[in-house]
Each structure stands twice: as C-alpha cells, then as structure tokens.
C-alpha cells in the first residue's frame, strides 16, 4: 500500500515495533522520553497525512463533478471511507484528551512523569473482563474495520481488504505468559493493560497513523494507484535516468527516461530525442530506453519531448538532461596525503585512485603498503632509500590500465630537546628547574609523533656531567644544581628518546640560564 511503503512510514513502524517489544522491560526514564518523542513525530506525520487526504478527497470530488461517468463511483466510496476514518480517529483523539487531562498541567510536556498505568487500566478493564468503555473501544475498532472493508468495491481490492483486516483485528492473541490454562489474551489487555501512559498515548497515535495511511491507500487505489493531484499529465515531469553522469569517449550511453513512476498503461504517443523520433519498440512500461553513442569528449545534452493525448488535446512534456564525456584514463593519481616523501617506520597515509574508476576496481602494491578503505592506504616502509608503488585499474569496458610512481624513503628528523616545553632562550630559577620535565618533539613535522625521553646528561659548568634516567632531575642532579653559580648556564645534553617501533636520531640539547 502506498502509505505504508514510504521510507518515513517504514521508519515509524519499525520504531513502533521496537518500543512495543521493550514494554516487557522495566521502563527507564530514557525509554519514556523515547516514547514521547516517537509520539510527537508520528503525531506530526499524522497532521501532514490529514492535509494530503483532505486535498485528495476534495480533488476527487471535483473530478467526479467534471467527469461523473469515470469518477462518480470512486468518489462515493471515498466519501464513505473518509466518514468512517474520521469517526474512529475522533474517538481515539477523545481518549487521548482524557488521558492528558489526568496529567498535571505543569507535567504535560514531561514524558518521564507520564509513567503511570492506572488511567487506561481502570477505564478499559473491570475484574477479569472489560469495562463498558473497554468494550466500546473494541466496538469502535470493529465498526471502523468492517466499515472500511464494506465501503470498498467487491473486485480488485482483495490485498487492501486483507491488510485492513490484519491491522485492525480485535481477536484474542496468544498470551506471552505461557500459562496452559490461559493460552490466549484479549486484544485490549495485550496492547494496553499495564503500559505507561505515554506508551499508551504513542500506541493510540500510531493507530491514528494507520487510519490515515489506510485512507490514503484507499484513495490512491480508487484512482488506479495514482493520487488525484498527479492525475493530470500536466503535473508529470520527465526523469532522465542514466547509468552514470560521465562516459569515456567511444562508450555507449545507456539509461532510461521515465515519468515519475512506471505504469503499463502509461505510454506516450510520440517521443523525440535530439531531433529524432524514438521507435515504438524502445518504449517499454512507461520508459523510453536510450541506446546511442556517447560522442567526443566534452559536455553533452539530451533534449527532446514526450507527447500524450489528454481530453483530446496534445500535452507536451519537455526532456532535458546533461552529461559529460571524459577521456579514457591512462595514468593513476598517487599522492602522499601529508608530503612528497614517505618516512621510515611510521604509517604514511596515502590516496591512490584512477580518474573515473571506482576504488574497488583499483589495486595498488608495494612493500609496506596496505589498503584501509576506498582510495585510502597506509605506507610503512622499512629498508631501502626508495619504493615503487604499482597501480592497476579495471576500466568499465573490461580493459586494464596500469601506472607506477617512485617515492623516496627518509628517516625521521632529529628530535629537539625541550624543558617545560621550551628550547630556545630558556631562563629559570633553581626551584623551577629542579621540578621541570625534560621532553622532545619533532618540530615542524606533519606526523603526530611524540618521542619519549628515557635518559639524559645534566651538566653544570665546572662540575662533571650527571647521568639521569627518565625525564626529571634526580637527587644527584638537583645537588649539582644547587652548587651552580647564579647566571651560569646548565645544559641538558645527550638526550635519548624512543618512538614505538622507530629508531630515533640524536636529540638536540637544551640550555638553561639560572636566574638566581
């Protein structure tokens, strides 16, 4: 059915099923909020559906006055369908209004506060049976279902009738309690007993959505699968659907032109493409099949028109679509994402592609090269001074194109020693220097690598150098620091660093001027 098969309706139905399945669990505040948000979303969709249904019914009624022989029977059935739908929809709206009247005014928008089950439990149920109001709900639902089915013509609507019967069936359902003495449970208890108020409200709103979708489906089928607002040929638009937007020179352009939707009964009287009339054999199921040479490299345009006869007059629908013809590629695009060389021992991100070729059809090989997805690769070279990346691509016509490119392999640059993040013109007092951290960085380097300091030599002028493990001064170094003259220069030298999996070069030293 048209209404039930839309992507939005499928999403709403799926959300509804998921939330109903979760009702057996202890309702969390987040779930109550989710029910409220879902109810609001479905309610907004209901307003849109109601506007569309009203417009469809009004247009059908007007069409029946213009062409009573063709549309009168459909308009009469639509009038009954609309009346039956409005009656049940208004009844459900009244129940929802009563439910919300039981909620304090300041809690109307608080879904988490609408977690009580007593309103519908006391309204619909009495002891082991149904209350008068519970029985009225079942009677209203039965009346709606039977009224919808009886309003439809006897032939040609079997699927639609079966769907309405299934959606609004009030028969008992299998009990989930696995009680051999009670294998079935009433429809009303299964769907409403013990549920939070916001969940029951969402359930009723979804029923209203089913009503409006059923009404839309009936109106659509009464008009032979088309809504009345698109019944006139003047409202159609031609759609050129090519297999792709660009072609290699020498390729064949393949695709189709449709009028919004396929229809065996929809066939133009004449189609003209680029000045030539299309043979009748190429018009199939409302589609105009294209098959012609792409032409030379450059931008191209498909122009023409479709002609239909409506009410004895010719209705013309223009056709206009552009596409590009590109030259067949003979070289690959291979580039390092961060630089023109690759660095030894680290992951170098790369992009490897062939113009006009899907990445899944491109293969690249080189020592240390691996694919990470699409056109993205990682290159981690180890030995040698150069590496060749060889690329092959399978073109749309089945042929293969190849290319290669050479990259230089370089070692990581020398790290720069730092003290408290500084390396040039550093001045500190003794107390700050004693607690400072020695570190290292690859300055002006695109890779996010941080060398770890493992040891260094602390040297005070006129005293022997002190070897320190780690990245802070030890006791011996601090003692030497206390003996250093004010204004003297102390040096952090022979800094050793490591980067996981990579051998680093010598780290530049850092000097500090003592200010006291």
């Amino acid at each position: 059915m048209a209404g039930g098969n839309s992507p939005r309706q499928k999403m709403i139905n799926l959300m509804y099923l998921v939330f109903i399945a979760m009702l057996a669990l202890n309702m969390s505040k987040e779930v109550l909020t989710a029910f409220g948000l879902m109810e609001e979303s479905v309610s907004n969709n209901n307003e849109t559906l109601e506007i569309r249904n009203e417009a469809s019914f009004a247009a059908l009624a007007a069409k029946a006055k213009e062409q009573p022989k063709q549309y009168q029977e459909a308009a009469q059935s639509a009038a009954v369908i609309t009346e039956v739908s409005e009656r049940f929809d208004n009844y459900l709206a009244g129940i929802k209004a009563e439910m919300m009247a039981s909620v304090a005014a300041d809690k109307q928008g608080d879904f988490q506060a609408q977690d009580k089950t007593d309103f519908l439990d006391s309204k619909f149920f009495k002891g082991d049976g149904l209350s008068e109001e519970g029985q009225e709900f079942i009677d209203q639902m039965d009346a709606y279902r039977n009224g919808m089915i009886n309003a439809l013509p006897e032939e040609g609507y079997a699927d639609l009738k079966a769907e309405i019967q299934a959606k609004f069936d009030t028969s008992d359902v299998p009990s989930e309690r696995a009680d051999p003495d009670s294998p079935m449970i009433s429809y009303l208890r299964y769907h409403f007993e013990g549920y939070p108020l916001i969940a029951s409200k969402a359930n009723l709103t979804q029923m209203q959505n089913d009503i409006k979708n059923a009404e839309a489906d009936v109106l659509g089928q009464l008009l032979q699968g088309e809504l009345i607002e698109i019944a006139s040929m003047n409202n159609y638009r031609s759609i050129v659907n090519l297999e792709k937007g660009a072609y290699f020179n020498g390729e064949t352009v393949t695709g189709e032109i449709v009028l919004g939707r396929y229809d065996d009964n929809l066939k133009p009287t004449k189609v003209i493409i680029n000045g030539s009339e299309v043979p009748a054999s190429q018009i199939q199921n409302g589609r105009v099949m294209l098959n012609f040479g792409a032409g030379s490299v450059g931008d191209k345009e498909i122009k023409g028109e479709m002609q239909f006869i409506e009410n004895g007059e010719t209705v013309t629908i223009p056709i206009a679509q552009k596409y590009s013809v590109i030259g067949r590629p003979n070289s690959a695009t291979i580039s390092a994402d961060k630089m023109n060389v690759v660095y030894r021992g680290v992951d170098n991100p790369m992009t490897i592609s062939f113009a006009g070729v899907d990445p899944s059809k491109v293969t690249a090989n080189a020592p240390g090269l691996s694919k990470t997805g699409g056109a993205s690769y990682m290159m981690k070279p180890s030995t040698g001074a150069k590496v060749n990346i060889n690329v092959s691509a399978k073109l749309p016509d089945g042929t293969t194109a190849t290319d290669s490119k050479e990259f230089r392999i370089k070692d990581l640059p020398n790290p720069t020693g730092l003290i408290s993040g500084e390396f040039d013109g550093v001045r500190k007092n003794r107390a700050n220097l004693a607690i400072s951290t020695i570190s290292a960085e690859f300055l002006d380097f695109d890779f996010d690598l941080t060398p770890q300091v493992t040891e260094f030599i602390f040297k005070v002028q006129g005293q022997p150098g002190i070897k320190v493990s780690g990245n802070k001064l030890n006791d011996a170094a601090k003692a030497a620091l206390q003996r250093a003259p004010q204004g003297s220069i102390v040096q952090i030298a022979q800094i050793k660093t490591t980067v996981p999996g990579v051998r680093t070069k010598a780290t530049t030293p850092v000097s500090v001027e003592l200010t006291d």
Side-chain angles (χ1 to χ4, degrees):
M1 298 181 358
N5 286 333
S6 69
R8 178 178 178 82
Q9 185 58 37
K10 287 181 178 179
M11 177 194 71
I12 293 172
N13 289 342
L14 179 60
M15 290 173 61
Y16 176 70
L17 291 175
V18 171
F19 286 132
I20 291 300
M22 295 174 66
L23 285 173
L25 303 175
N26 182 24
M27 291 292 102
S28 68
K29 297 301 184 182
E30 291 79 7
V31 172
L32 292 173
T33 299
F35 268 113
L37 295 176
M38 184 197 75
E39 193 277 336
E40 287 186 345
S41 176
V42 178
S43 181
N44 292 335
N45 185 50
N46 287 348
E47 293 178 4
T48 302
L49 282 172
E50 185 172 359
I51 293 173
R52 292 180 180 176
N53 288 344
E54 289 177 354
S56 296
F57 177 74
L60 178 56
K63 202 75 172 178
K65 290 182 180 180
E66 296 172 358
Q67 303 178 44
K69 184 177 180 179
Q70 183 175 359
Y71 293 101
Q72 187 63 47
E73 183 179 356
Q76 291 174 349
S77 296
V80 176
I81 292 296
T82 299
E83 180 183 356
V84 171
S85 299
E86 286 183 356
R87 186 184 306 126
F88 190 38
D89 181 76
N90 291 337
Y91 170 74
L92 296 179
I95 295 178
K96 288 167 57 178
E98 292 178 19
M99 293 168 62
M100 296 310 296
S102 69
V103 179
D106 60 342
K107 298 294 184 181
Q108 294 280 329
D110 185 0
F111 303 131
Q112 297 182 5
Q114 301 172 33
D115 60 348
K116 302 297 186 294
T117 67
D118 53 350
F119 182 84
L120 287 186
D121 285 356
S122 60
K123 180 180 179 66
F124 284 166
F125 309 106
K126 184 177 182 181
D128 293 334
L130 301 180
S131 65
E132 290 184 5
E133 291 178 301
Q135 186 58 50
E136 181 186 3
F137 185 97
I138 296 298
D139 293 341
Q140 288 277 356
M141 193 167 175
D142 288 340
Y144 167 76
R145 182 188 65 250
N146 296 331
M148 290 286 287
I149 293 175
N150 293 335
L152 292 172
E154 293 183 1
E155 297 181 359
Y157 295 84
D159 292 342
L160 191 52
K161 291 179 180 179
E163 188 165 354
I164 293 174
Q165 175 67 41
K167 273 191 174 182
F168 299 95
D169 186 9
T170 57
S171 303
D172 291 351
V173 296
S175 174
E176 297 176 353
R177 301 167 183 166
D179 184 357
D181 296 328
S182 302
M184 303 294 286
I185 187 172
S186 71
Y187 171 90
L188 212 56
R189 287 190 183 277
Y190 183 84
H191 287 279
F192 292 97
E193 186 178 34
Y195 290 91
L197 185 141
I198 187 60
S200 295
K201 184 183 178 185
N203 195 352
L204 293 173
T205 301
Q206 179 60 44
M207 291 183 68
Q208 291 178 298
N209 185 260
D210 291 338
I211 292 170
K212 297 181 188 303
N213 273 303
E215 184 180 4
D217 293 337
V218 171
L219 291 173
Q221 194 154 334
L222 286 172
L223 292 168
Q224 299 179 349
E226 297 178 0
L227 294 176
I228 189 61
E229 63 262 24
I230 61 172
S232 173
M233 295 308 304
N234 286 319
N235 292 328
Y236 273 88
R237 291 185 62 188
S238 62
I239 301 174
V240 181
N241 182 21
L242 302 179
E243 290 187 0
K244 55 183 180 179
Y247 293 83
F248 299 130
N249 57 313
E251 279 191 293
T252 298
V253 175
T254 56
E256 58 190 20
I257 300 177
V258 299
L259 291 179
R261 59 190 299 272
Y262 300 149
D263 189 340
D264 285 325
N265 298 318
L266 184 61
K267 187 175 182 179
T269 56
K270 180 184 289 188
V271 178
I272 299 174
I273 300 293
N274 293 341
S276 300
E277 184 173 349
V278 176
S281 60
Q282 290 182 219
I283 303 175
Q284 304 170 9
N285 195 25
R287 300 173 297 172
V288 178
M289 311 306 294
L290 300 179
N291 194 326
F292 58 87
S296 58
V297 174
D299 293 332
K300 307 295 179 182
E301 186 174 13
I302 299 173
K303 298 186 65 176
E305 63 182 34
M306 284 180 149
Q307 296 180 7
F308 293 84
I309 301 298
E310 184 180 45
N311 299 327
E313 298 182 357
T314 299
V315 177
T316 300
I317 299 175
I319 298 170
Q321 175 69 40
K322 293 182 178 181
Y323 68 95
S324 299
V325 180
I326 61 176
R328 191 179 301 273
N330 54 20
S331 63
T333 299
I334 306 173
S335 62
D337 287 350
K338 292 183 177 291
M339 59 203 71
N340 294 324
V341 298
V342 290
Y343 285 86
R344 194 185 319 279
V346 297
D347 289 327
N348 296 259
M350 308 190 77
T351 298
I352 302 177
S353 63
F354 252 90
V357 180
D358 188 276
S360 64
K361 305 294 183 182
V362 177
T363 302
N365 295 288
L369 181 69
S370 60
K371 189 171 186 176
T372 58
S376 299
Y377 292 77
M378 279 294 179
M379 163 64 78
K380 191 172 185 178
S382 54
T383 61
K386 297 179 181 179
V387 62
N388 281 315
I389 298 179
N390 301 307
V391 184
S392 63
K394 188 174 182 180
L395 303 182
D397 62 2
T399 60
T400 300
T402 61
D403 196 13
S404 66
K405 188 170 183 178
E406 182 180 86
F407 282 81
R408 291 178 296 131
I409 301 175
K410 295 181 63 175
D411 292 327
L412 293 177
N414 294 77
T416 298
L418 305 172
I419 182 164
S420 298
E422 300 178 273
F423 68 93
D424 187 30
V426 182
R427 301 175 74 247
K428 286 183 176 292
N429 59 40
R430 297 175 199 271
N432 287 337
L433 180 57
I435 62 173
S436 295
T437 299
I438 312 304
S439 61
E441 287 186 11
F442 293 110
L443 299 180
D444 298 323
F445 192 55
D446 289 331
F447 286 87
D448 187 15
L449 297 174
T450 302
Q452 301 297 315
V453 174
T454 59
E455 65 177 65
F456 58 90
I457 299 296
F458 182 72
K459 188 170 180 58
V460 175
Q461 188 175 1
Q463 300 182 42
I466 299 173
K467 184 177 181 180
V468 179
S469 296
N471 60 0
K472 288 182 177 292
L473 299 185
N474 58 16
D475 291 341
K478 291 178 180 178
L481 175 62
Q482 294 303 317
R483 297 191 296 271
Q486 179 180 351
S488 63
I489 303 295
V490 297
Q491 190 175 50
I492 312 298
Q494 299 181 35
I495 303 171
K496 292 187 178 181
T497 60
T498 62
V499 174
V502 184
R503 182 179 179 181
T504 58
K505 294 182 178 180
T507 303
T508 59
V510 57
S511 299
V512 182
E513 179 184 352
L514 292 179
T515 59
D516 65 358

